[in-house]
Amino acid sequence: MSQPPEREQPLYAWIITINREPTDNEFATCLRCLDDESYTKICNIENRDDAWRSLLGRLIPCIVMKQRNVSRSAWSIKTTKAGKPYIDAPKEDKHLGYNIAHNGSLVAMAFSLGRKHKVWNIGVDVVKIALPKGIPFNTYIDSLRHKLTTTEASYLDTSQMSGSEEDREKRALNRLFVIWTIKESYIKALGQPPGFDFSRVECRIPDEEIYVDGKRLTGWEFRLFKSNVGVLRSNGSVFREYRSQAGP
């Protein structure tokens, strides 16, 4: 009798919001929870905000494994041949494939538990839906044009959209970050190194299709999230909008 097909493992996405800066004691306490290699890497990050986001990103896998009742002494972080980290656990179906991304006030983790070959190819990206401070819309789009295909660039052409200039730019910016987070999450899922040519990946938004090197991508699933976050600052609360993308 033939074996039933192996069940697909669910994909989870955790989003952590950072609404204030940590105290020195909180930072030190979290830092002591890390392994020696992670501890050293975090200590070498000069910017405090970047260090805090990176630290949280390294703590989340520990929390996931604790919730799954796997003791810390029973698992270890290993890497694939492409250098992509995963958690090696004592039981074959307890391996944790994951990916971390952080931007501004968000830290995101996409993960799945199961057999190694089933959970390795997971990627996530997160980006704030806003122009970099002081950079005009057209200048920003032009700076990224070399990472877009001709088809993708056409989706950002505000002259083909209706509404006010502000509305058209906002719509184009949202489309840009949909494209950007899909590309980033896919490349990270593969474990590709920095310098990968983004224009090799084409997102055809109206058709909800993705092409890589001219061929339609199959066997992949992408999940798009939008987060509205209230961030506490010294002069009051600031609301920010983020685009997140996860895919196995």
Side-chain angles (χ1 to χ4, degrees):
M1 186 172 63
S2 61
Q3 293 291 327
E6 191 173 347
R7 184 171 63 90
E8 289 293 328
Q9 296 300 318
L11 174 70
Y12 301 92
W14 283 10
I15 305 292
I16 294 178
T17 61
I18 305 172
N19 62 4
R20 64 173 177 84
E21 295 181 1
T23 64
D24 290 342
N25 184 58
E26 288 171 336
F27 191 94
T29 299
C30 291
L31 198 58
R32 287 194 293 270
C33 297
L34 301 180
D35 58 273
D36 291 342
E37 181 181 354
S38 296
Y39 183 98
T40 301
K41 286 185 177 180
I42 299 300
C43 288
N44 287 333
I45 300 176
E46 295 183 3
N47 183 281
R48 172 73 172 231
D49 289 340
D50 289 341
W52 180 232
R53 287 190 288 263
S54 297
L55 195 162
L56 292 176
R58 289 177 181 269
L59 283 180
I60 304 175
C62 301
I63 297 172
V64 172
M65 296 306 283
K66 186 175 181 179
Q67 284 197 347
R68 267 66 183 174
N69 297 316
V70 182
S71 65
R72 182 62 185 88
S73 59
W75 60 268
S76 59
I77 297 179
K78 295 186 178 179
T79 57
T80 65
K81 291 181 179 179
K84 196 169 184 293
Y86 71 94
I87 288 180
D88 188 65
K91 292 184 178 180
E92 180 64 21
D93 61 348
K94 290 285 187 179
H95 295 298
L96 182 77
Y98 69 94
N99 193 234
I100 303 288
H102 48 76
N103 182 274
S105 301
L106 289 191
V107 178
M109 175 181 177
F111 65 94
S112 184
L113 288 98
R115 299 179 184 277
K116 293 179 184 178
H117 70 284
K118 287 286 186 178
V119 299
W120 272 347
N121 293 336
I122 292 176
V124 66
D125 190 48
V126 59
V127 65
K128 183 169 66 173
I129 305 177
L131 288 169
K133 192 173 182 179
I135 299 181
F137 172 79
N138 288 328
T139 301
Y140 185 59
I141 295 296
D142 288 342
S143 71
L144 298 175
R145 201 171 292 278
H146 66 288
K147 297 191 175 187
L148 304 172
T149 66
T150 302
T151 298
E152 291 168 339
S154 70
Y155 301 145
L156 311 179
D157 185 358
T158 56
S159 66
Q160 303 301 314
M161 302 177 191
S162 59
S164 67
E165 182 179 1
E166 182 181 356
D167 288 341
R168 286 184 281 122
E169 289 186 357
K170 185 175 182 179
R171 200 178 313 151
L173 197 62
N174 188 64
R175 290 180 182 178
L176 170 65
F177 289 137
V178 167
I179 293 169
W180 187 265
T181 52
I182 288 175
K183 291 191 179 202
E184 278 279 10
S185 60
Y186 174 69
I187 292 168
K188 291 174 69 179
L190 294 178
Q192 292 293 331
F196 184 90
D197 184 1
F198 272 49
S199 64
R200 290 174 57 187
V201 182
E202 180 174 88
C203 302
R204 300 185 183 179
I205 296 177
D207 302 323
E208 296 186 355
E209 293 179 342
I210 299 172
Y211 284 73
V212 179
D213 294 332
K215 296 181 180 179
R216 184 171 178 270
L217 185 66
T218 59
W220 286 71
E221 180 181 356
F222 294 85
R223 303 181 189 181
L224 197 62
F225 305 89
K226 198 173 184 180
S227 305
N228 293 304
V229 180
V231 183
L232 186 63
R233 291 291 182 259
S234 57
N235 57 348
S237 296
V238 178
F239 289 91
R240 293 172 176 170
E241 195 172 48
Y242 289 84
R243 172 71 64 193
S244 305
Q245 179 74 44

